[in-house]
Amino acid sequence: MANVAIPLMKKIEPDKGQRLWPWQKWFVYGSLTPIMALLLFFSILPVLWVFVLCFYNYSPTRAGSGFLDMGGANPFIGLGNFKAMFADLQTSAIFRKSFVNTIMFAILVLPINLAITLPLAVLVESSQARLKGFFRAIYFMPVITSAVAVAIMWGYIFHPQQGLLNLMIKTIGLTPPRAWLTDPRAVYFGIPLAMIAVIISYIWQDFGYNLVIFIAALQGIPNEFRDAAKVDGANAWQEFWQITLPLLRPTMLFVCVMTTLSSLQVFVPFQVMTNGGPAFQTEVLVKNIYDNAFRYKQMGWAAAISIVLFLLVLIFTVIQFRLLRSDSGLEY
Amino acid sequence: MKKRLIYVVIIMAVVLSACAKTTTTQAPVVPTKAAEPTSPPPAEKVTIKVWSHSNPAFQKANDLLIAKFMAQNPNIEIKFETFEYDLYLQNLETSMVAGTEADVLELFGTWICPQYAKGGRLLEVPEDVMTYAQAKEIFFQAPLDGYYCDGKLYGLPHEFNLENGGALVNTALFEKAGIPFPPKWATFDELLADAQKMTEVTDGAMAVAGWDPITGDGLTFTLLAGILEQGGNYFASDGRHFNFDTPEAKKMIQTMVDWAQKYKVVDPIVFTDESNSVSTSFFTGNMAIGFIGSWAAGEGIISYPDFKFDYVEIPTYFGGERRFAADSGWGKVVSAHTKHPLEAWKFVKFVTAELDSAVIYNTNSGTIPALKALVENPEKVLAVEPWIKPTFDLLPHGQYIGNLTDRDKLFYEIVYPNVLQAMQGVITAEEAAQKINTDTNAMVDAAQ
């Protein structure tokens, strides 16, 4: 048996990969080429194109003089778009506001999301086996629901006259806000009420995704660690804090990065529920990019904002990787 | 390694060449020059492509006109393609760069000069099709002038886009408040007095707005009309920059602030374009008088057939002569990339300038005619859309809104939020006027 196995194992050694038969090579190239072409033309080239456009005052409604209408009526302006971000213009002011709002949204969403999903995941995981699947399904349902439908639904819930939320607040004898989504003077702790309303709707839809990931991670922690802690006299809180949480660190990193990435790029609830209002208090970068590119047809300006968003996402991701990188050596 | 790379390049080249569209070399087109009718009428069948947005009413109007045109012109085949509104605009942007847009495009008149014509994307109307002088004879000035830039005509209008001078009225609320219907308002104060009677506040929150002009279009058109009614002008002397820091602009904004703060006929926090917009709130019974174009009445009849309402003329804001600025509405233009300009212009003229075609277009799309003849002999149109009758007396008083540099930015990013904030009491009317003045001029400077 061993005599047969050894030559076979030699054949699939990684460093001998070049010994593939020609038909195998063609199969590999043939399989990979379409997906590579797809990636190239619909992801990589558009991204590269944004890096080119951001240096032009480019509008697709103007016929330029050069390649793809670059030049002439769509002139190269160097860093002009980036300098304009600091100018005393309405467009620049809206960009700066959207920049701040985007960061505010991402910073608020992450801790709230974690504060809900992690304890809830522990609770679901500790519930009866038969109920686990039920809870997972219930909490995951909003994730697979259309974002537009969810935004419209929450728009109705927050409606100042017929909204369910105001009705409930009135029922318990309290006075609801005059308008959740449209009052520019309603600001609590520096956060506009409209932004709070959008955060509520966004987290409602999004938390199920992180919940399922945390549940999976919790199930992956071997019981031996917990049993050992119990033997050492740890109570439930100590077990969670000293054992579970450190072992969830890689999952936490993934959840933090993904949640931050997605919340920096949120568009639908802002577009549908508030349209950036009131007084641009919920204008965010992606909506600003969309408006400038497709509503006002200022593609060069929109591309420059896209670069800023790209850098913002990059910086947030790097910071999170640095902060949550596991140096403790805790593995299981 | 090099060999592998070559294989990958070859495969990709094969795949891409299979996917690529076969292209032929195109003769260069000088976009701003008129297409000269150099070729004789086609012996072979020519196919021209027409693009529009997919609003069902507009689609039906175009379908009927295309069928009629093809029956009369068997040598010309029309391929009509529609897109969902936002997608249509995105398609235009990308296809114009690639030169793959349709021969004939349905575009909104106010976009033509500052964007597409200035950008060299459109053909000028050939003189043997129609001169500007001829067009002025048959079309209203306001819709036509959207297609007329720097002494050149770039297309022909279908509709007079009117957002001024009329309002939706909820007949049940008039009855409930004991107000005679139809209303005979001689002055705007009389309208406000009736609006106050119909305004309802429940538990401290406004449940029914008596008079609501708060939409992105509504506030801007009201401001412009108010300025013009007082004899003012919102353009600076160079015709490109703006002048909103004027007594007329401040007075009009203060008038709008008073509607909310003094007369309390609308709550500008609860009734905004984002939440409780006129087009939706009116038909849910939360509004007595809603300031909006007559197109909303057409949509309301289809979407809310059991809702009792009417569309009536409203008085001028300051009691003087009626004057207002109007957008140039939807019309047809010809792409600079077309290979069949003769046939394309023949189609455009047929669908816009011929009386029977205009009847088909306006009655099916629910729009106000751009052709003067249809308003002078309105029986055919009014038989289908009687609610637009109050608008007919208004049309001669309208002037084209002008080259706004970026119409949507001015309306939705500058005027609307500033006037709304003034109505909400966040800034004063004077501050709003100054802010609008600064931001609109900065927009013009940035575009230059």
Side-chain angles (χ1 to χ4, degrees):
Chain A
M1 200 63 190
N3 289 340
V4 178
I6 289 166
L8 274 178
M9 284 180 73
K10 275 184 180 173
K11 272 192 178 178
I12 57 167
E13 279 176 2
D15 58 336
K16 301 288 173 76
Q18 63 268 36
R19 286 188 186 178
L20 288 173
W21 292 96
W23 66 267
Q24 287 175 311
K25 289 178 192 172
W26 281 107
F27 176 77
V28 170
Y29 297 142
S31 308
L32 289 179
T33 302
I35 194 69
M36 290 300 287
L38 195 75
L39 193 70
L40 182 69
F41 283 93
F42 292 101
S43 293
I44 296 169
L45 281 183
V47 170
L48 294 176
W49 189 234
V50 166
F51 277 91
V52 175
L53 274 184
C54 71
F55 298 113
Y56 283 80
N57 178 9
Y58 182 86
S59 171
T61 60
R62 294 193 293 260
S65 59
F67 174 65
L68 283 176
D69 285 332
M70 313 294 273
N74 294 313
F76 177 81
I77 54 168
L79 295 173
N81 284 324
F82 295 98
K83 285 178 189 166
M85 289 173 180
F86 303 97
D88 187 21
L89 297 168
Q90 163 85 343
T91 309
S92 313
I94 293 172
F95 157 73
R96 292 193 293 268
K97 191 142 194 169
S98 68
F99 183 84
V100 172
N101 289 342
T102 303
I103 293 175
M104 182 199 287
F105 181 77
I107 286 177
L108 288 171
V109 160
L110 182 63
I112 298 171
N113 194 314
L114 290 179
I116 294 170
T117 51
L118 191 52
L120 200 59
V122 175
L123 276 177
V124 171
E125 185 52 23
S126 61
S127 64
Q128 289 178 15
R130 278 187 304 176
L131 291 175
K132 278 182 195 172
F134 172 74
F135 282 126
R136 270 203 306 261
I138 289 290
Y139 290 129
F140 199 71
M141 261 182 199
V143 178
I144 56 168
T145 308
S146 155
V148 174
V150 168
I152 290 172
M153 182 193 79
W154 277 98
Y156 281 122
I157 290 173
F158 286 123
H159 194 278
Q161 291 152 322
Q162 295 100 24
L164 187 65
L165 191 60
N166 277 7
L167 193 70
M168 286 165 65
I169 292 171
K170 282 177 191 168
T171 306
I172 58 172
L174 297 174
T175 306
R178 194 167 163 195
W180 286 87
L181 301 172
T182 53
D183 189 349
R185 285 173 299 189
V187 178
Y188 299 94
F189 306 108
I191 307 162
L193 183 61
M195 179 64 88
I196 295 171
V198 175
I199 288 172
I200 291 170
S201 77
Y202 179 72
I203 288 177
W204 181 85
Q205 181 175 30
D206 191 56
F207 84 93
Y209 180 77
N210 288 349
L211 184 79
V212 168
I213 290 171
F214 275 130
I215 289 173
L218 287 169
Q219 287 171 348
I221 297 175
N223 283 332
E224 288 82 354
F225 291 109
R226 294 193 182 109
D227 293 340
K230 279 175 191 160
V231 169
D232 287 345
N235 59 27
W237 172 250
Q238 286 169 326
E239 182 194 316
F240 174 75
W241 194 252
Q242 305 288 345
I243 305 294
T244 308
L245 207 54
L247 291 175
L248 281 179
R249 203 163 176 171
T251 309
M252 192 81 85
L253 174 64
F254 174 78
V255 165
C256 287
V257 170
M258 295 310 289
T259 304
T260 307
L261 287 184
S262 62
S263 54
L264 285 171
Q265 298 172 63
V266 170
F267 171 74
V268 172
F270 290 108
Q271 172 78 359
V272 176
M273 289 174 66
T274 63
N275 196 24
F280 304 104
Q281 286 177 344
T282 59
E283 182 79 11
V284 287
L285 283 174
V286 178
K287 190 181 167 297
N288 199 220
I289 291 166
Y290 172 82
D291 282 344
N292 280 295
F294 299 111
R295 201 170 178 191
Y296 308 133
K297 298 167 185 64
Q298 296 300 325
M299 283 282 184
W301 172 243
I305 302 174
S306 303
I307 299 297
V308 172
L309 179 62
F310 169 77
L311 293 174
L312 192 65
V313 170
L314 191 70
I315 290 166
F316 263 81
T317 309
V318 169
I319 290 171
Q320 286 176 336
F321 264 93
R322 294 250 172 213
L323 289 178
L324 291 167
R325 191 172 48 192
S326 180
D327 294 328
S328 62
L330 281 173
E331 295 290 344
Y332 57 90
Chain B
M1 189 64 195
K2 273 184 184 173
K3 237 180 175 181
R4 280 187 197 176
L5 200 65
I6 291 166
Y7 286 143
V8 171
V9 170
I10 291 170
I11 291 168
M12 284 186 68
V14 171
V15 170
L16 292 174
S17 63
C19 297
K21 186 180 139 189
T22 310
T23 53
T24 51
T25 312
Q26 288 184 9
V29 179
V30 182
T32 52
K33 283 186 180 171
E36 291 171 10
T38 50
S39 56
E44 293 176 8
K45 196 162 189 172
V46 166
T47 301
I48 59 173
K49 205 183 271 184
V50 178
W51 278 3
S52 180
H53 56 91
S54 60
N55 178 300
F58 282 73
Q59 194 168 335
K60 187 184 170 194
N62 278 309
D63 281 336
L64 292 169
L65 287 174
I66 287 166
K68 194 176 174 196
F69 179 79
M70 287 204 292
Q72 291 180 15
N73 298 275
N75 283 343
I76 303 174
E77 186 187 0
I78 307 282
K79 280 194 173 175
F80 181 45
E81 294 174 358
T82 62
F83 307 86
E84 187 273 319
Y85 184 78
D86 285 342
L87 195 62
Y88 177 47
L89 301 185
Q90 291 170 27
N91 259 3
L92 280 177
E93 290 173 17
T94 50
S95 60
M96 280 179 161
V97 176
T100 55
E101 74 272 29
D103 305 86
V104 176
L105 306 166
E106 185 146 71
L107 287 182
F108 197 69
T110 309
W111 301 337
I112 299 297
C113 291
Q115 294 178 11
Y116 298 100
K118 184 186 165 194
R121 300 294 190 194
L122 306 176
L123 285 185
E124 191 184 339
V125 181
E127 288 196 349
D128 60 340
V129 172
M130 195 173 292
T131 62
Y132 177 63
Q134 289 167 335
K136 256 175 37 174
E137 290 293 314
I138 63 168
F139 292 108
F140 282 106
Q141 190 90 25
L144 179 67
D145 279 0
Y147 296 81
Y148 186 63
C149 343
D150 302 326
K152 293 168 185 171
L153 186 61
Y154 286 96
L156 300 173
H158 276 301
E159 61 144 347
F160 194 127
N161 189 276
L162 187 73
E163 299 279 341
N164 289 277
L168 293 168
V169 284
N170 183 327
T171 52
L173 289 175
F174 273 72
E175 196 177 321
K176 188 178 164 189
I179 301 168
F181 192 87
K184 303 283 182 201
W185 297 310
T187 65
F188 207 81
D189 282 343
E190 289 179 16
L191 181 150
L192 290 174
D194 282 352
Q196 280 179 311
K197 289 177 196 163
M198 293 184 280
T199 303
E200 287 178 26
V201 177
T202 312
D203 296 336
M206 187 173 281
V208 175
W211 157 252
D212 183 4
I214 302 177
T215 62
D217 286 339
L219 290 187
T220 312
F221 278 120
T222 303
L223 172 62
L224 302 185
I227 293 169
L228 294 174
E229 275 186 24
Q230 296 172 79
N233 188 0
Y234 46 87
F235 276 108
S237 53
D238 66 358
R240 287 189 59 80
H241 286 81
F242 295 93
N243 190 5
F244 283 100
D245 194 5
T246 60
E248 292 86 4
K250 287 172 190 168
K251 187 176 176 185
M252 190 61 225
I253 296 173
Q254 186 58 52
T255 301
M256 290 190 266
V257 170
D258 288 345
W259 295 341
Q261 311 285 336
K262 186 176 159 191
Y263 294 95
K264 297 189 186 301
V265 289
V266 63
D267 182 340
I269 301 287
V270 176
F271 290 84
T272 69
D273 210 8
E274 291 77 29
S275 173
N276 272 330
S277 72
V278 175
S279 58
T280 54
S281 259
F282 178 82
F283 293 104
T284 53
N286 296 110
M287 202 173 289
I289 310 167
F291 179 68
I292 199 164
S294 62
W295 56 268
E299 281 194 7
I301 283 174
I302 296 166
S303 305
Y304 307 92
D306 300 326
F307 193 84
K308 298 277 190 301
F309 71 98
D310 205 346
Y311 192 81
V312 300
E313 186 179 341
I314 59 168
T316 57
Y317 302 112
F318 298 105
E321 185 195 346
R322 185 180 293 284
R323 293 187 68 192
F324 63 88
D327 262 324
S328 172
W330 292 98
K332 294 280 195 298
V333 297
V334 175
S335 160
H337 289 110
T338 183
K339 290 174 192 165
H340 307 292
L342 282 178
E343 293 75 20
W345 281 119
K346 189 175 185 182
F347 173 72
V348 170
K349 190 176 180 183
F350 173 82
V351 295
T352 57
E354 290 199 7
L355 205 61
D356 289 342
S357 300
V359 171
I360 291 172
Y361 188 92
N362 294 127
T363 54
N364 283 283
S365 62
T367 49
I368 298 170
L371 275 183
K372 291 177 185 173
L374 268 191
V375 175
E376 287 155 6
N377 303 288
E379 298 78 22
K380 286 181 180 174
V381 176
L382 292 181
V384 182
E385 40 181 2
W387 63 87
I388 66 169
K389 189 172 187 301
T391 66
F392 281 9
D393 293 337
L394 307 172
L395 303 183
H397 302 286
Q399 67 178 64
Y400 176 54
I401 197 166
N403 182 351
L404 303 179
T405 303
D406 188 330
R407 188 261 188 206
D408 283 1
K409 192 180 274 280
L410 184 141
F411 268 62
Y412 308 128
E413 205 168 81
I414 298 175
V415 176
Y416 169 74
N418 281 301
V419 174
L420 183 62
Q421 284 182 61
M423 293 177 82
Q424 290 169 336
V426 178
I427 55 176
T428 65
E430 187 159 348
E431 285 169 342
Q434 286 165 352
K435 188 94 180 13
I436 291 168
N437 193 56
T438 307
D439 293 342
T440 48
N441 286 313
M443 172 186 74
V444 176
D445 291 337
Q448 285 175 346

